[in-house]
Amino acid sequence: MGKTTGFMEFDRKIEAYAPVEERIKNYKEFTVPLKENELKDQGARCMDCGIPFCHSGCPLGNLIPDFNDAVYQGKWEKATKILHSTNNFPEFTGRLCPAPCEEACVLGINEDPVSIENIEKNIVETAFENGWIKPEPPIKRTGKKVAVVGSGPAGLAAAQQLNRAGHFVTVLERDEKIGGLLRYGIPDFKMEKNVIDRRLEIMTQEGITFKTGINVGVDVKADELQKEFDSIVLCGGASVRRKLPIPGSDLKGVVQAMDFLPQNNRKVDGIPYTGEELSAKGKRVIVIGGGDTGSDCIGTSIRHGAVSVTNFEIMPKSTTKRPEGQPWPFWPMRLRTSSSHKEGAERVFSISTKKFIGDQNGNLKGLITAEVFWDKVPGQRPVLKEVAGTEKEWECDLALLALGFTGSETTIADQLGLQMDTRTNISASEKDYKTNVPGIFVAGDQRRGQSLIVWAISEGRQAAHHVDSFLMGKSNLPLKGDGDLPRV
């Protein structure tokens, strides 16, 4: 694949960023695209490696060497067809995926891996620019009706696949616009929302019905959906936020990240929001949590005009190289520095917050921390321990809790009598995505727990196959890596 000697001739190259002082003035995407000849060179780096381990690294089973080779040859429309055969929304993953495929790249054993994610993004953007991505409604309808609850990447993928199989699909979303965390959790500087809207326009033209402002389980009872639809796919995500149960957590100024980020996204989009504005302007901000959500809080706070932004991480600082015990091609827990980190945040590792401090009016004014370490005993779970004598007080006006999610809300599950696992996710296996109630399926974070966008799309596609089989007795919808289905 690619050019036989390409990996020896060309160095890895990805999109550059606009200067920090320019990009923090707004919420627009700030990457600087590569030129076409540069992208061809990057496609040329894909080795004739024999066994493409990138396939195993990708939850979607994307045919990566095939579309890399097509880009190298300048066959962009062919690359578009190959990419879309396994991935409904490469414009999302090309911007937001952490690229486990690149960590599994054979070239990455001793060199920089192929820039797969950036190639993917440029394929789909080229396709949109040239009008190659068009509505593909089914040739005929089955007469079966399917409700998809939740419009994040899992729900959208399931909806598009089931619609292509000929079923009448209705997507139900409790927020005012479609997209789930793609719209309300991901800042616009990482993905502008017109990227979602242009795909939704195509899906609407394909025949999918979208209904917003409907909270299933509250506005519409779950058993009502059972009566109206032949099958239901639950894709509501993992929405129960992890709390920080320490003294002072009820102070004004201690804010959940998923209150802060959605409000800002609504403001950028011109959507009215309720409650007091959560602003970091002129404040000393501490973001507690070192993942992607924490990084998004950093970039947003800097754009608000925060006086300072500090990021706390309870884990020790990782190495930029593969840690021992995480060999290629497995996903390594490396130190990852995001574009937001580079915009002016201080990062502090191996630190735990013990107490929030308030003033006489109940406003946050600081917090107390201690240094920690993980005591590791062979055969046992690591135990978090505090380093004696390391308590420290920090000035802080806004603490953003980016601690992840502990499971999904149980309203729908309770109304339908669904079984839950120990993490309050709805129980279903990857074998068929079936719940314990016939006709009810579940996919994405609501089944597997908090995870990646690429996993959500994959689960939505897989669940759609099994829903189609349930409704029709068999299915032509693809499973992982099988490519797209023939038109029905």
Side-chain angles (χ1 to χ4, degrees), residues 240 406-410 420-427 445-446:
V240 179
T406 59
S408 64
E409 297 175 14
T410 61
M420 310 289 287
D421 64 19
T422 56
R423 299 182 298 158
T424 69
N425 300 315
I426 297 175
S427 293
D445 290 4
Q446 199 163 18

Side-chain angles (χ1 to χ4, degrees), residues 65 174 207 374 420 441:
R174 65 182 175 184
W374 292 87
M420 310 289 287
F441 296 76

Side-chain angles (χ1 to χ4, degrees), residues 63-363:
L63 306 176
I64 295 165
D66 302 77
F67 66 64
N68 282 340
D69 183 59
V71 167
Y72 164 59
Q73 296 183 47
K75 298 179 180 179
W76 289 90
E77 189 169 7
K78 178 182 178 181
T80 299
K81 292 178 180 178
I82 295 170
L83 179 55
H84 277 87
S85 71
T86 56
N87 186 351
N88 298 68
F89 313 118
E91 64 270 34
F92 303 159
T93 54
R95 287 171 165 83
L96 305 172
C97 185
C101 54
E102 294 185 13
E103 294 290 3
C105 175
V106 173
L107 182 57
I109 295 174
N110 59 351
E111 296 286 347
D112 290 331
V114 176
S115 52
I116 300 168
E117 183 183 22
N118 192 232
I119 291 172
E120 179 179 314
K121 174 186 172 182
N122 279 275
I123 291 172
V124 69
E125 290 305 316
T126 300
F128 271 111
E129 289 171 10
N130 286 278
W132 297 332
I133 300 177
K134 301 175 181 178
E136 298 181 31
I139 297 172
K140 62 180 181 180
R141 291 289 181 181
T142 65
K144 301 292 185 179
K145 296 166 61 179
V146 182
V148 176
V149 181
S151 67
L156 293 178
Q160 188 169 58
Q161 293 298 98
L162 287 165
N163 183 71
R164 288 176 175 176
H167 307 305
F168 291 103
V169 180
T170 300
V171 178
L172 303 169
E173 170 57 54
R174 65 182 175 184
D175 285 319
E176 59 270 71
K177 287 191 176 183
I178 295 295
L181 289 184
L182 290 171
R183 186 177 296 278
Y184 295 109
I186 304 296
D188 284 61
F189 56 79
K190 288 177 66 174
M191 186 176 75
E192 294 178 39
K193 301 307 174 267
N194 63 343
V195 173
I196 303 173
D197 294 335
R198 68 183 179 187
R199 180 64 75 170
L200 292 177
E201 183 178 348
I202 288 171
M203 295 175 69
T204 300
Q205 292 176 32
E206 290 176 335
I208 298 172
T209 299
F210 293 101
K211 294 185 177 181
T212 58
I214 298 177
N215 189 351
V216 176
V218 179
D219 301 321
V220 178
K221 300 300 182 184
D223 59 354
E224 295 178 46
L225 291 185
Q226 283 182 292
K227 296 175 183 177
E228 183 179 354
F229 293 91
D230 298 295
S231 184
I232 301 172
V233 191
L234 302 176
C235 302
S239 53
V240 179
R241 306 155 188 174
R242 181 175 281 109
K243 299 179 181 179
L244 188 57
I246 61 174
S249 59
D250 58 344
L251 289 168
K252 184 179 179 181
V254 180
V255 177
Q256 282 281 353
M258 292 314 299
D259 289 329
F260 180 71
L261 293 173
Q263 188 192 84
N264 191 75
N265 282 12
R266 285 182 168 90
K267 184 177 180 180
V268 172
D269 197 23
I271 302 173
Y273 54 85
T274 58
E276 183 179 353
E277 182 177 2
L278 303 173
S279 176
K281 185 176 181 179
K283 295 180 179 179
R284 296 159 297 186
V285 178
I286 294 180
V287 179
I288 303 175
D292 289 338
T293 302
S295 171
D296 294 342
C297 288
I298 291 168
T300 301
S301 296
I302 290 171
R303 283 160 179 77
H304 279 191
V307 172
S308 63
V309 181
T310 305
N311 188 198
F312 287 175
E313 169 59 72
I314 201 168
M315 300 299 292
K317 186 175 181 180
S318 300
T319 174
T320 56
K321 298 181 179 180
R322 280 186 176 273
E324 291 185 14
Q326 297 173 7
W328 175 90
F330 297 105
W331 176 260
M333 300 302 292
R334 303 177 190 264
L335 176 66
R336 301 178 193 277
T337 302
S338 72
S339 59
S340 292
H341 289 135
K342 297 175 181 178
E343 290 172 355
E346 178 188 1
R347 303 174 75 180
V348 184
F349 297 88
S350 298
I351 190 169
S352 177
T353 306
K354 299 182 65 176
K355 180 182 179 180
F356 293 111
I357 305 170
D359 62 19
Q360 59 185 4
N361 296 317
N363 297 308

Side-chain angles (χ1 to χ4, degrees), residues 381-434:
R381 293 175 63 91
V383 177
L384 183 66
K385 293 186 177 181
E386 184 177 318
V387 180
T390 60
E391 283 197 2
K392 179 180 179 180
E393 184 172 336
W394 302 71
E395 293 182 325
C396 177
D397 308 302
L398 178 63
L400 298 173
L401 308 183
L403 304 172
F405 302 87
T406 59
S408 64
E409 297 175 14
T410 61
T411 304
I412 295 175
D414 292 341
Q415 290 184 7
L416 292 172
L418 301 179
Q419 293 177 355
M420 310 289 287
D421 64 19
T422 56
R423 299 182 298 158
T424 69
N425 300 315
I426 297 175
S427 293
S429 75
E430 293 182 8
K431 177 182 177 182
D432 53 22
Y433 296 85
K434 292 180 180 178

